[in-house]
Amino acid sequence: MEMPIVNRCQAETCAYNRNQGCHALAITVGDRRHARCDTFFTDSVKGGDPGGTGRVGACKMADCRHNDQFECQAPGITVGAGESGADCLTYDPVYQTA
């Protein structure tokens, strides 16, 4: 299985973000309650591999339709502004709360 790619990251203040691209080797999504990018953090120094593209290493959002045994099965994701800095905008819960 190949890890899904981070197609676009709109969290421009993230230390791994360069020109809306994620350059972390792999990110983790979620804390079981919220689909945030757990890898997001700010720093004055940019990190990651500038020639690489970030991928989804793990996803803790078991209720997402793209999740299979805590592995993301989406072909790619988008990360963007959310409740707590940077969220997986591809998150699609199987069960909608009313």
Side-chain angles (χ1 to χ4, degrees), residues 35-51:
R36 71 171 166 243
C37 176
D38 283 352
T39 311
F40 170 82
F41 77 102
T42 59
D43 198 283
S44 60
V45 177
K46 292 294 184 178
D49 177 2

Side-chain angles (χ1 to χ4, degrees), residues 32 56-63 67-73:
R32 290 188 182 252
V56 181
C59 178
K60 297 182 261 183
M61 300 304 297
D63 69 332
N67 191 311
D68 182 15
Q69 299 179 45
F70 301 109
E71 301 291 337
C72 181
Q73 302 298 310

Side-chain angles (χ1 to χ4, degrees), residues 2-10 14-29 37 39-40 47-58 72 74-79 88 90:
E2 192 165 319
M3 293 186 296
I5 195 167
V6 179
N7 291 321
R8 184 174 182 201
C9 179
Q10 301 165 348
C14 182
Y16 288 109
N17 186 307
R18 288 183 182 90
N19 301 317
Q20 295 200 351
C22 178
H23 297 282
L25 290 176
I27 68 167
T28 298
V29 173
C37 176
T39 311
F40 170 82
D49 177 2
T53 301
R55 297 195 176 263
V56 181
C72 181
I77 70 163
T78 298
V79 175
C88 175
T90 309

